Amino acid sequence: MSDARKRTGSMPDADAKVDVVVIGDSESMCKGCKQALEGGGWGVGVAADGDEGLQVVKKTRPRVVLLDLDGSGTPGTDVLAGLSRTDPSPVVVAVTGRGTVEAAVECMRLGAFDVLAKPVAQARLLDAVGRGMKLSEVRGITAAGGKAGTRGKYDVLLEGLEVLSQSYALGLERQDFLEELRHLEAEARYHAESLGQVKKREKAILDIVHDFKVVDDVVEKHGYRKDALIQILLDIQGRLNWLPGHALRWLAARLGVPVADVCTITSFYEAMSLTPRGRHLVEVCLGTACHVRGGPELLTKVSALLGIKAGGTDLRGNFTLKTVHCLGCCALAPVVKIDGDYHSNPTMDHLKKTFAELSKEETVTCQN
Amino acid sequence: MPKLNSPRDLSALRSQLEAKSRAKPMMVTVCSGTGCLACGAASVTAEFKKQIEKAGLSEKVGVRATGCHGFCERGPITVIEPQKICYLATKVADVPEIIEQTLKNGAVVERLLYQDPATGKRVQRVEDIPFYKYQQRVLLVNNVRIDPTSIEDYIAVGGYAALAKALSELKPEQVMQMVKESGLRGRGGGGFPTGAKWETTRNAPAEPKYVLVNADEGDPGAYMDRSLLEGNPHSVIEGLTIGAFAIGAHEGIIYVRQEYPLALQNTLTGLDRARQLGLLGTNILGSGFDFDVRVHRGAGAFVSGESSALMNAVEGHVGEPRPKYVHTSVKGLWDKPSCLNNVETWANVPFIINQGVEWFRSLGTKGSKGTKIFSLVGKVKNTGLVEVPMGMSLRDIVFKIGAGIPGDKPFKAVQTGGPSGGVLPDKLLDLPVDFDELTKAGSMMGSGGLIVMDEETCMVDTARYYTDFLAHESCGKCVPCREGLRQMLAILNRITTGKGEEGDLALLEELCSVTKVASLCALGQSSVNPVLSTLKYFRAEFEAHIREKRCPAGVCKELIAYEIDKARCKGCGLCAKNCPTSAITRTPSKVHEIHQDKCVRCGACYTVCPAKFRAVAKVPASKVRTAA
């Protein structure tokens, strides 16, 4: 059963996260458990006896300890007691050969969370340790050890409870509330994916929350007036550099207008963009005066240089090319307006230089 | 500046400001409209301020950034008051010389003056320059004298005197009568008698009433309203307030298109300042009349400039027109009586009140009184904004004021009225600018765009251009406009790409006849004008495109090609360097050649080949390509 030889425990690298510490003097058992637990995705530390085990636990702060109660050396009960006094105190899964009910109850009274009878089946082991992990989470014990002042899980949970209570006060049923949240979360993910961006779930959600807040801010500035819808949309585009679908749905809900009305307007007006715009807006004027003075040729040149057709945005998101009728500076015809600067009858050299300079810049996008 | 509580307060302030400007008679005014700003006017103004300060002349000389002076071809324009010396195309580098010569020594800098192309003589004063000499600048006169962001400047030149007079000396009905008798007609294109519209609104049995300013100015090539709003927003605000008083409205809305950021900014500033001084708001100048104005931005839709569409947009709906069985002056914004007028129309009102009906009627023709601002653009030497009395001939405008076509090439046509108007050929150049005369000839006055065209402008392409614009801007509600324009465009596209067929012209005319009669709003109804007028006066060009697959003007891309003359090419390589699609390569003999399959006919090589070689030629496409 147990190997009487003294064995040093194997310590994982100092940097590796240790979720479980296995304490037992049977090398084969420890090795077997370690393999199985690592297969479950946990970092594992091993100690040969109780004293070493307590030290390892103090150092690595695991969430769960797998303790062989029958090992020689310090009696299992003392180790249990020692573990319960450690701070943070890990969840202990005890392993014993004495498979009686009395023995199990005795273990649990001493602080073990679960008792496994030898020989330990792998599935049983993983299940027990898994549940132990969950319990340790609930107890708020983290492997890294929380620092004072940071928002931990419980802070967030408390806030969540407050919000839930507020939603009840508004007459929202829990099911509907959660359903709406799920829906918004899905929007965030859809939005990130459709932009071709690989974002962590938290970042995707934070981004659409930012967009929603911009919408709220604009709507408030306009006094929630429904007739200011066009102005509101222009202002939202001014801040987000385009009109994302989720922002439009949020706006419709906020203003109390049907989504279809919002879509009618955004699809009607030239100035409104339902696709992300590049950092730099290039507008070639195709007003009549520019048309007779070489506007279409200028458009061909600009389009060829940027590699995009009118209405499009380049793959790197640097430039959006649009045609406008008319900018009202007909004496400068043909005119191209780049980011608010007017360029009259530009040469190819001038265009190449300007575009090259603008592509280099690390400009901030309209997300402010 | 404290609030003005009565007309007397206003006169007192004016006297104060006039005295102030008399104490500093010398002024450097730099045109800072959008066009000149794009040419660096802001740096010129800054440089003047800096150098004048350095030279210790700040006590004696002021610097003022004004609105658009109109001579846009030669901007940035600097006018030195009180001598009214006009310097063209001033750059930052010119500033020290101007200060030294003109401000200090009272001499002129010859090279910056306008030079008469015929005699070579230099012209000093603004009003002696032919461009300005033949104009009658009533509405635009103050553009060169005031800083548009300064309400004090406007008051100093007599601003808001008309409002004070109307509020304190006249009854609303009297004001309305004056406008009716003046014969003022809408300047936005419709030409509807303004006084009659005001009266309908006033008499409509509903409250509240609204007044609106249409600053959508969607006609491409027209920028008169931009310059008025940028350069003198208070003239429009004052006119609007007087109108509101006459009609009995207490809320005004200015609809500005979003493509005019500077006009929008200056309007908002102007409204703020007017409110601060008590010229807008409650109990204006102690008269008991309340009125305030807000601004609504457009978002890039041509059709939203139509009056019922504009009102829909202000209500927050999509800016589409509605059938006007009941006029908007009876049931407009939120179904209330609403009087909508163009920017220029409103700007005329203070003059009528100040100078009187007789004076206004002394300008213009029998049917069209007053002056009109035109944007003279296209193939013309003196591109810019011109204000002329109604009745001046198109010839005078294009040749006397505009100085003719660049390169003195022959005149081909002038397009008036924007996408709702038509072309007028050489033989009609003596037509006077008059609402009814122009409509009789198959075009219309429109908002004031005057596009000059020469032999290198293709009339078929012009018709296609306007039809394309209108098809795109059509709101799509009614079938004749939506489908009619779409089909007309399809036919014109085929013709301009060499795929025209016999019978196309007859089909075009048939489509036009339906679209003109059956469309819901004026966009559709007048959309046929560009096509029908080009067909009427330039049918031969259409036929050349269809029968010979040839574009006489050398414009339609599918029908032309660029070719390098091997005898003339000296191998300088400029064409290859400027080709955006790398379609030009060097042959072993240094002569360059264009690969037609890569060429996109942008014309860069044509423009850039040095004049002494002139090796790139425009030839019919059939010459270089085998298949059509």
Side-chain angles (χ1 to χ4, degrees):
Chain A
M1 176 160 97
S2 54
D3 191 344
R5 277 176 306 170
K6 211 45 165 123
R7 216 179 7 93
T8 41
S10 65
M11 279 295 295
D13 311 80
D15 295 337
K17 186 157 167 288
V18 174
D19 302 299
V20 190
V21 168
V22 178
I23 307 176
D25 60 0
S26 157
E27 189 172 341
S28 58
M29 190 205 94
C30 289
K31 199 158 151 197
C33 289
K34 181 167 192 271
Q35 259 183 342
L37 293 170
E38 277 175 348
W42 293 305
V44 183
V46 178
D49 66 27
D51 290 330
E52 197 192 328
L54 283 170
Q55 281 185 24
V56 171
V57 166
K58 230 181 249 162
K59 206 164 179 179
T60 62
R61 303 158 79 94
R63 285 197 276 165
V64 172
V65 167
L66 187 68
L67 174 64
D68 184 349
L69 290 173
D70 308 324
S72 58
T74 326
T77 48
D78 290 346
V79 181
L80 262 174
L83 284 172
S84 67
R85 281 194 299 270
T86 326
D87 179 37
S89 170
V91 170
V92 182
V93 173
V95 178
T96 178
R98 294 181 296 131
T100 61
V101 172
E102 291 85 24
V105 170
E106 180 66 29
C107 289
M108 304 214 23
R109 240 194 232 125
L110 286 170
F113 160 68
D114 198 357
V115 182
L116 304 176
K118 287 181 188 168
V120 183
Q122 182 166 316
R124 184 82 178 84
L125 170 68
L126 290 174
D127 170 67
V129 171
R131 281 181 297 111
M133 290 287 176
K134 284 214 179 81
L135 176 63
S136 102
E137 261 187 61
V138 171
R139 286 186 191 165
I141 301 167
T142 61
K147 293 195 192 86
T150 56
R151 272 162 65 80
K153 183 179 129 155
Y154 280 110
D155 303 298
V156 177
L157 278 172
L158 269 180
E159 282 179 18
L161 268 182
E162 273 178 347
V163 169
L164 199 57
S165 140
Q166 283 165 4
S167 77
Y168 292 156
L170 283 175
L172 264 175
E173 285 307 317
R174 179 168 159 279
Q175 200 47 42
D176 301 323
F177 180 63
L178 292 178
E179 189 57 46
E180 292 268 8
L181 272 185
R182 260 192 287 271
H183 178 71
L184 287 174
E185 190 192 6
E187 284 234 41
R189 206 145 356 168
Y190 176 72
H191 173 64
E193 281 168 22
S194 64
L195 286 181
Q197 294 177 0
V198 179
K199 284 189 196 183
K200 286 187 102 164
R201 185 176 48 176
E202 309 90 81
K203 180 86 183 13
I205 294 179
L206 278 179
D207 281 350
I208 73 162
V209 168
H210 167 273
D211 291 350
F212 290 167
K213 286 200 169 139
V214 167
V215 171
D216 283 352
D217 192 43
V218 171
V219 167
E220 194 175 316
K221 278 207 175 78
H222 285 274
Y224 288 85
R225 291 176 67 144
K226 288 196 174 88
D227 60 301
L229 184 50
I230 298 172
Q231 315 302 289
I232 291 173
L233 284 165
L234 284 174
D235 281 347
I236 294 174
Q237 180 166 278
R239 306 235 329 237
L240 298 180
N241 203 26
W242 65 299
L243 293 170
H246 58 265
L248 295 179
R249 281 187 280 281
W250 188 258
L251 170 64
R254 271 301 197 191
L255 265 191
V257 296
V259 178
D261 281 3
V262 177
C263 291
T264 311
I265 292 177
T266 52
S267 55
F268 181 82
Y269 287 106
E270 254 330 287
M272 299 188 184
S273 184
L274 293 170
T275 50
R277 298 200 296 189
R279 277 183 286 278
H280 305 287
L281 188 58
V282 179
E283 294 170 296
V284 177
C285 182
L286 287 186
T288 322
C290 288
H291 180 81
V292 277
R293 299 227 297 218
E297 285 76 18
L298 178 57
L299 177 64
T300 313
K301 284 186 209 165
V302 171
S303 176
L305 273 181
L306 291 176
I308 38 182
K309 284 212 221 81
T313 303
D314 70 326
L315 288 174
R316 283 213 204 92
N318 277 328
F319 299 103
T320 293
L321 175 61
K322 286 182 69 116
T323 56
V324 279
H325 301 88
C326 107
L327 289 170
C329 7
C330 312
L332 303 175
V335 171
V336 56
K337 185 173 164 198
I338 306 176
D339 279 345
D341 287 325
Y342 298 84
H343 302 255
S344 165
N345 199 14
T347 58
M348 283 294 280
D349 268 345
H350 179 83
L351 286 171
K352 279 188 196 162
K353 223 173 82 178
T354 312
F355 292 145
E357 261 172 44
L358 289 174
S359 326
K360 268 194 281 179
E361 271 172 32
E362 294 291 322
T363 45
V364 178
T365 55
C366 266
Q367 290 262 2
N368 55 339
Chain B
M1 208 154 286
K3 235 176 166 171
L4 302 170
N5 291 315
S6 67
R8 193 169 318 152
D9 285 353
L10 178 62
S11 322
L13 177 60
R14 183 171 304 119
S15 308
Q16 250 179 38
L17 294 167
E18 280 172 344
K20 218 168 106 182
S21 69
R22 272 197 299 273
K24 204 196 253 188
M26 266 196 126
M27 183 73 68
V28 175
T29 59
V30 182
C31 174
S32 307
T34 303
C36 284
L37 279 179
C39 295
S43 326
V44 173
T45 310
E47 188 68 16
F48 265 116
K49 285 195 174 132
K50 198 169 107 192
Q51 297 294 338
I52 285 174
E53 174 92 33
K54 239 169 88 175
L57 291 170
S58 313
E59 293 297 306
K60 293 217 241 123
V61 187
V63 180
R64 186 179 274 148
T66 67
C68 178
H69 287 211
F71 200 177
C72 308
E73 186 71 39
R74 306 297 202 91
I77 303 190
T78 306
V79 175
I80 315 283
E81 303 264 6
Q83 311 95 309
K84 293 214 185 291
I85 300 173
C86 180
Y87 290 132
L88 305 172
T90 38
K91 297 195 202 21
V92 170
D94 298 324
V95 173
E97 195 179 341
I98 297 176
I99 296 182
E100 190 59 42
Q101 293 278 27
T102 314
L103 298 183
K104 283 195 180 157
N105 301 333
V108 290
V109 181
E110 286 278 329
R111 64 182 175 81
L112 292 174
L113 292 174
Y114 176 82
Q115 185 174 40
D116 190 309
T119 64
K121 247 180 75 172
R122 295 274 179 187
V123 180
Q124 240 184 57
R125 282 162 44 99
V126 171
E127 45 260 4
D128 294 331
I129 299 177
F131 179 79
Y132 288 111
K133 190 158 130 192
Y134 298 106
Q135 292 187 41
Q136 181 139 16
R137 295 170 79 85
V138 170
L139 297 170
L140 289 177
V141 69
N142 283 329
N143 262 33
V144 309
R145 301 166 67 191
I146 65 175
D147 173 352
T149 58
S150 160
I151 194 174
E152 291 86 356
D153 280 3
Y154 183 66
I155 293 176
V157 296
Y160 286 108
L163 177 63
K165 179 170 167 191
L167 290 179
S168 60
E169 294 172 32
L170 301 169
K171 289 210 195 51
E173 299 83 7
Q174 286 173 299
V175 175
M176 174 126 64
Q177 193 59 21
M178 282 178 85
V179 173
K180 267 176 82 179
E181 282 172 12
S182 71
L184 176 65
R185 287 168 73 166
R187 297 292 194 252
F192 191 82
T194 309
K197 194 187 259 190
W198 285 21
E199 194 170 46
T200 313
T201 315
R202 182 183 170 80
N203 293 340
E207 292 286 332
K209 301 189 166 49
Y210 298 99
V211 285
L212 295 105
V213 181
N214 188 343
D216 192 48
E217 197 167 53
D219 282 359
Y223 60 106
M224 304 74 55
D225 295 345
R226 169 172 82 62
S227 294
L228 268 176
L229 269 188
E230 272 181 12
N232 196 351
H234 286 286
S235 65
V236 180
I237 298 172
E238 187 182 2
L240 185 67
T241 313
I242 296 173
F245 174 67
I247 291 169
H250 301 283
E251 192 179 331
I253 293 142
I254 305 182
Y255 183 105
V256 185
R257 72 198 302 246
Q258 66 97 27
E259 289 89 335
Y260 289 170
L262 186 57
L264 176 67
Q265 201 180 317
N266 289 355
T267 305
L268 289 170
T269 307
L271 290 171
D272 261 343
R273 294 294 285 132
R275 274 187 213 109
Q276 279 168 13
L277 282 186
L279 291 161
L280 273 181
T282 52
N283 196 15
I284 299 176
L285 290 178
S287 63
F289 176 62
D290 302 337
F291 179 65
D292 209 337
V293 183
R294 61 186 172 89
V295 173
H296 181 106
R297 268 171 299 161
F302 174 72
V303 73
S304 290
E306 195 271 351
S307 62
S308 63
L310 193 153
M311 294 185 200
N312 269 334
V314 172
E315 287 183 18
H317 306 305
V318 72
E320 288 176 348
R322 61 161 176 79
K324 293 199 289 216
Y325 309 122
V326 182
H327 287 297
T328 49
S329 29
V330 176
K331 278 189 171 211
L333 207 50
W334 293 295
D335 265 353
K336 300 293 181 191
S338 312
C339 183
L340 177 134
N341 279 124
N342 173 267
V343 168
E344 199 181 330
T345 314
W346 290 116
N348 268 290
V349 174
F351 288 100
I352 295 176
I353 304 295
N354 270 334
Q355 329 273 65
V357 171
E358 284 311 311
W359 165 83
F360 193 78
R361 287 191 73 82
S362 70
L363 303 164
T365 66
K366 185 147 165 270
S368 310
K369 296 289 177 199
T371 60
K372 178 83 188 78
I373 307 177
F374 290 97
S375 65
L376 186 61
V377 296
K379 301 286 182 75
V380 70
K381 283 190 199 156
N382 291 341
T383 315
L385 281 186
V386 308
E387 188 178 352
V388 297
M390 296 278 200
M392 181 179 276
S393 71
L394 288 165
R395 189 184 298 280
D396 282 350
I397 298 178
V398 174
F399 288 100
K400 269 205 176 128
I401 300 179
I405 321 281
D408 290 318
K409 290 200 213 131
F411 171 90
K412 188 164 182 183
V414 64
Q415 207 275 347
T416 71
S420 312
V423 296
L424 297 165
D426 182 79
K427 64 182 183 204
L428 292 177
L429 259 183
D430 290 305
L431 268 182
V433 287
D434 173 284
F435 285 107
D436 310 307
E437 288 296 318
L438 291 174
T439 312
K440 263 198 300 203
S443 178
M444 65 188 264
M445 173 92 71
S447 59
L450 276 178
I451 326 271
V452 182
M453 301 173 173
D454 68 3
E455 62 194 8
E456 285 184 336
T457 315
C458 172
M459 288 300 139
V460 188
D461 177 64
T462 302
R464 186 204 62 81
Y465 167 81
Y466 279 120
T467 310
D468 180 72
F469 175 78
L470 290 165
H472 191 79
E473 295 289 343
S474 163
C475 79
K477 247 192 199 181
C478 73
V479 172
C481 174
R482 185 184 74 235
E483 297 304 326
L485 281 171
R486 205 163 69 90
Q487 295 303 333
M488 280 157 61
L489 181 61
I491 297 174
L492 287 166
N493 274 335
R494 277 195 293 105
I495 297 178
T496 51
T497 52
K499 298 198 186 72
E501 295 158 6
E502 284 299 330
D504 273 349
L505 296 183
L507 187 53
L508 258 184
E509 286 166 331
E510 192 181 335
L511 279 169
C512 286
S513 65
V514 176
T515 308
K516 179 182 174 116
V517 162
S519 297
L520 183 109
C521 81
L523 187 151
Q525 289 156 8
S526 60
S527 67
V528 304
N529 289 344
V531 177
L532 289 180
S533 63
T534 46
L535 266 177
K536 180 169 169 189
Y537 299 116
F538 298 97
R539 201 180 187 92
E541 249 183 273
F542 281 83
E543 285 168 351
H545 280 73
I546 295 176
R547 295 187 188 148
E548 301 165 50
K549 312 294 185 220
R550 182 176 66 90
C551 177
V555 169
C556 298
K557 288 219 179 84
E558 298 298 314
L559 303 179
I560 56 154
Y562 290 98
E563 203 180 39
I564 296 181
D565 186 336
K566 294 188 172 39
R568 289 171 167 250
C569 175
K570 298 292 176 250
C572 72
L574 270 175
C575 54
K577 226 178 80 166
N578 280 282
C579 176
T581 52
S582 310
I584 305 183
T585 52
R586 213 167 182 257
T587 61
S589 60
K590 265 183 52 169
V591 164
H592 284 68
E593 68 175 348
I594 300 173
H595 293 272
Q596 296 299 336
D597 51 337
K598 279 204 182 147
C599 172
V600 289
R601 270 94 62 211
C602 72
C605 54
Y606 186 69
T607 329
V608 114
C609 180
K612 56 188 176 198
F613 304 143
R614 217 169 288 196
V616 183
K618 218 193 269 191
V619 298
S622 47
K623 193 163 174 250
V624 301
R625 273 177 272 156
T626 45

